[in-house]
Amino acid sequence: MSETALDVTGWTCPAPLRDRPRVVMGHGGGGALSAELVEHVFAPAYGGEVLGRLGDSAALTLGGARLAFSTDSYVVRPLFFPGGSIGDLAVNGTVNDLAMSGARATYLSCGFILEEGVEMSTVARVAGALGAAARAAGVEVATGDTKVVEAGHGDGIYVNTAGIGLIPDGVDLRPQRVVPGDVVIVSGEIGLHGVAIMSVREGLGFGVEIESDCAPLGGLVQAMLAVTPDLHVLRDPTRGGLAASLCEIAAASGAGVVVQEGRVPVPEAVRNACAILGLDPFYVANEGKLVAFVPREHADAVLDAMRAHPLGRNAAVIGEAVEAHPGMVVARTGLGGTRVVDLPIGEQLPRIC
C-alpha cells in the first residue's frame, strides 16, 4: 500500500497553540495566553515599575495622595443579558478593579465605540443602564468620548471605562503579601455570569433562568477593611474565573494554595449547566464576586462582616495558603483525591465582558 502525505493545513486545535504569529481569541481570555501577551509584548514596550506589578488596578502616589487607577474595555455579546448589560459591566467592572486595591471609586471616564447602523434606542438603553449603575455604585462619570466605525467593522457597541479612587491609609493589597497560613475566602456563589451569558448567546435552556451576578463590590470591600486594614490581597475572578485568580496570586506570591473543592459555593443551576456542557465552574467568569487572602487571626471577623453585607451573605472559607508546592494551586476533591488547578490557556467562553 502506497504512503500518502498527510495534509494538516485544514486542521484546527481546540485550544490555541502557544506559539502563534497572529492574535487568537484566547489572547483576550485572562489566562496563560493573555499573560504571555502582556509579558512579551506590552510590558517590554511600556516599561515602568507600576505596570510591572500587574494588579487589577495600579496603586499610585500623586501629590501626597494614594490613588488607584484602572481601565477596562467591554465587548460582551449580547449587549443585554439576564441580570445586566454592557452598561452595567462597564461601571461595575472598573469599580471592582479599583476596590481590589482597597479604593472606593470616585470618578469614571467612559468611551463609546459605536458601529454605524446601530439603533439609537439601543445606544440610549445602554447609556441609561450605565448611568444608573454609576449612581448605584456612588461614582460619577466625569468625562468621555464617542467614536463611530463603519458598518461591519464593529459589533454594535463597545465601551471603555477608566476610573480613579483614593486608597485609605494603612491599606496595602498585593499578592506579594500572601504568606502560608492565610485563609482564602470567596464572597459567594461562583459561575453565574459566564453561564448567564452562555444561556442567552447560545439559546440554551437549563430549566431555570440564571442571572449574572454583576454588582459593584466597593461597599463589601469597605466592610471588610472596617474589620482590619490588614487584608493581604483581593481579586475579582472575572475572565478565567476563580481558578485564574488563585493561580495568579500563587504565582506572584510564591506560596502554595490548597482549596477544598466541596467548600466552594457553586449554585445547583450552574453546576448542572457546567456538567451538561463539560465545563469546570472554577474557570467560569464572575462579575460580582471577590476572593480574599486574609491573615488567620482576622479571618473569622472578616467572614462575619462579609456575611452581614448583601453581596457577601454566601461568603465561605474555601482554603488556605501553604508552604508546600510553592506557586501552585491544588484542589482537594470530595473523594479525597487532589488535582492541580492550572491557569487556563485561554477562555471557556469568549466575549463575556
Side-chain angles (χ1 to χ4, degrees):
M1 185 170 61
S2 62
E3 295 185 0
T4 303
L6 187 63
D7 182 8
V8 299
T9 56
W11 288 18
T12 61
C13 180
L17 298 177
R18 302 290 286 275
D19 183 16
R20 287 212 172 190
R22 298 180 185 273
V23 171
V24 296
M25 288 299 294
H27 284 115
L33 284 173
S34 292
E36 291 175 1
L37 182 64
V38 171
E39 179 183 356
H40 298 298
V41 177
F42 297 133
Y46 304 156
E49 177 186 352
V50 175
L51 180 65
R53 299 170 193 158
L54 298 178
D56 283 342
S57 61
L60 311 169
T61 300
L62 185 64
R66 296 181 66 219
L67 299 176
F69 178 41
S70 183
T71 186
D72 209 339
S73 298
Y74 299 88
V75 297
V76 65
R77 181 170 56 85
L79 297 176
F80 305 95
F81 47 83
S85 70
I86 192 172
D88 300 282
L89 283 176
V91 171
N92 294 335
T94 296
V95 164
N96 292 347
D97 282 346
L98 296 172
M100 297 308 104
S101 291
R104 183 182 291 276
T106 307
Y107 296 105
L108 296 181
S109 70
C110 178
F112 271 72
I113 300 175
L114 308 176
E115 182 182 15
E116 181 185 23
V118 67
E119 294 184 1
M120 196 63 70
S121 60
T122 301
V123 179
R125 186 179 170 192
V126 170
L130 194 152
R135 289 186 290 274
V139 66
E140 180 179 346
V141 178
T143 187
D145 180 55
T146 305
K147 294 292 189 296
V148 178
V149 298
E150 298 90 344
H153 290 265
D155 197 13
I157 299 174
Y158 298 148
V159 182
N160 172 274
T161 49
I164 57 173
L166 287 171
I167 301 175
D169 292 338
V171 174
D172 183 17
L173 296 170
R174 49 190 173 89
Q176 291 77 14
R177 296 194 64 217
V178 170
V179 296
D182 281 358
V183 173
V184 183
I185 304 175
V186 68
S187 65
E189 297 175 325
I190 66 169
L192 288 163
H193 178 72
V195 173
I197 295 293
M198 186 184 308
S199 66
V200 292
R201 183 186 298 175
E202 307 300 335
L204 301 174
F206 299 115
V208 60
E209 183 176 75
I210 300 173
E211 290 193 353
S212 169
D213 60 344
C214 183
L217 295 172
L220 176 60
V221 171
Q222 296 307 311
M224 297 166 67
L225 291 173
V227 174
T228 174
D230 189 30
L231 306 178
H232 284 171
V233 67
L234 302 177
R235 284 290 171 91
D236 58 334
T238 53
R239 296 176 303 168
L242 178 64
S245 291
L246 293 175
C247 288
E248 290 168 357
I249 291 170
S253 67
V257 177
V258 175
V259 175
Q260 302 297 328
E261 196 171 67
R263 296 183 184 176
V264 178
V266 181
E268 183 178 1
V270 170
R271 192 182 304 277
N272 292 339
C274 288
I276 291 170
L277 299 169
L279 303 177
D280 185 339
F282 274 41
Y283 294 90
V284 178
N286 313 271
E287 287 293 345
K289 299 297 184 297
L290 64 81
V291 59
F293 281 65
V294 181
R296 185 169 297 277
E297 62 268 25
H298 301 306
D300 289 342
V302 170
L303 182 63
D304 288 343
M306 294 174 73
R307 287 176 172 172
H309 191 279
L311 295 179
R313 60 180 177 270
N314 293 316
V317 172
I318 63 171
E320 63 180 335
V322 298
E323 292 183 1
H325 49 79
M328 181 182 296
V329 181
V330 301
R332 300 279 168 79
T333 69
L335 298 176
T338 300
R339 67 182 178 99
V340 174
V341 179
D342 289 323
L343 187 68
I345 297 296
E347 187 171 39
Q348 294 183 118
L349 181 68
R351 302 283 299 280
I352 48 82
C353 65

